[in-house]
């Protein structure tokens, strides 16, 4: 299969500038208010670029394609290569051997063959698209900030109760945690419409695919680079 190719380094399309100071309410697992989380839109991205988001989504969808479809050409099907009857004088249409695509059971003309649909945008574009998609969730008021999340053993009931408390029960939601938590993932994997990701695996496609965003303060610190600053 062909190697992945990269597109142009600079994102195309117009930017919609966003200069906004966010002061988001933080809620706990019971849905009770627990302070504010403040940051500027510039900490994520200079604005919204729809073309950049479109390019990122198309890339992720293309990389999901398997590309293993195959049909048999006339050289792959069984049958004699002898011409079935003479060219003229029989009253039939001129025809070649049994393998031709003109006959039932023959090969397929211009048939599909396995191919690799995958390609890669530049890393800086992918990271920027993720931040732009995240910024769009806050601009559109589709995000909820959670103070923290801990589950005592794999219990779907605990995640369902938490979603109900924060007003996201039954909604298409992306839950983002600071680190991969197997207990949280096991507790929420069977909930319809809920997807769980650690901050390190956050991407533009999953952010845009799910209608609402539920992100912990720890995950938001990682995305904004505050966790690294505190560690330093």
């Amino acid at each position: 299969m062909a190697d992945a190719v990269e597109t142009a380094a600079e994102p195309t399309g117009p930017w919609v500038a966003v200069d906004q100071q966010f002061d988001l309410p933080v809620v706990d697992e019971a849905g009770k208010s627990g302070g504010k989380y403040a940051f500027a839109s510039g900490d994520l991205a200079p604005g919204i670029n729809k073309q950049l988001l479109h390019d990122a989504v198309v890339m992720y969808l293309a990389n999901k394609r398997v590309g293993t479809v195959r049909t048999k050409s006339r050289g792959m099907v069984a049958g004699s290569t002898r011409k079935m009857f003479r060219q003229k004088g029989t009253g039939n249409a001129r025809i070649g051997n049994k393998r031709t695509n003109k006959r039932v059971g023959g090969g397929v003309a211009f048939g599909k063959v396995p191919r690799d649909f995958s390609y890669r945008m530049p890393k800086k574009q992918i990271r920027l698209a993720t931040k732009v998609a995240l910024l769009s969730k806050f601009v559109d008021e589709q995000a909820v900030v959670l103070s923290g999340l801990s589950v005592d053993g794999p219990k779907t009931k605990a995640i369902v109760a938490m979603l109900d408390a924060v007003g996201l029960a039954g909604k298409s939601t992306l839950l983002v945690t600071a680190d991969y938590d197997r207990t949280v993932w096991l507790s929420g994997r069977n909930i319809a419409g809920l997807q769980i990701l650690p901050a390190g695996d956050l991407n533009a496609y999953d952010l845009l695919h799910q209608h609402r965003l539920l992100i912990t303060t720890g995950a938001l610190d990682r995305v904004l680079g505050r966790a690294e600053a505190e560690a330093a």
Side-chain angles (χ1 to χ4, degrees), residues 50-71:
K50 291 185 178 180
Q51 184 62 51
L52 176 62
L53 295 177
H54 174 269
D55 292 343
V57 169
V58 171
M59 180 198 70
Y60 284 115
L61 291 176
N63 292 344
K64 284 186 173 184
R65 298 185 67 175
V66 178
T68 56
V69 64
R70 178 191 290 273
T71 55

Side-chain angles (χ1 to χ4, degrees), residues 181-195:
D181 190 327
R182 180 172 174 80
T183 303
V184 172
W185 180 78
L186 289 173
S187 300
R189 62 177 176 172
N190 289 330
I191 301 176
L194 178 66
Q195 184 178 358

Side-chain angles (χ1 to χ4, degrees), residues 8-123:
E10 293 296 327
T12 58
W15 283 87
V16 178
V18 176
D19 185 10
Q20 187 174 346
Q21 184 70 32
F22 296 101
D23 197 14
L24 305 172
V26 179
V27 297
D28 59 14
E29 297 177 46
K32 298 179 180 179
S33 179
K36 299 283 186 178
Y37 192 102
F39 66 95
S41 59
D43 295 339
L44 285 174
I48 307 297
N49 188 321
K50 291 185 178 180
Q51 184 62 51
L52 176 62
L53 295 177
H54 174 269
D55 292 343
V57 169
V58 171
M59 180 198 70
Y60 284 115
L61 291 176
N63 292 344
K64 284 186 173 184
R65 298 185 67 175
V66 178
T68 56
V69 64
R70 178 191 290 273
T71 55
K72 289 185 177 181
S73 66
R74 61 189 300 170
M76 297 177 183
V77 297
S80 173
T81 58
R82 179 177 176 275
K83 187 175 174 65
M84 298 185 67
F85 45 79
R86 60 195 177 98
Q87 182 82 348
K88 296 181 180 295
T90 64
N92 296 312
R94 65 189 87 178
I95 196 167
N97 57 46
K98 290 183 177 181
R99 301 184 185 186
T100 177
N101 61 297
K102 302 296 192 295
R103 298 189 61 83
V104 176
V108 177
F110 309 110
K112 297 180 180 179
V113 295
R115 58 173 292 192
D116 184 8
F117 292 94
S118 66
Y119 66 95
R120 291 285 295 175
M121 293 169 57
K123 290 181 180 179

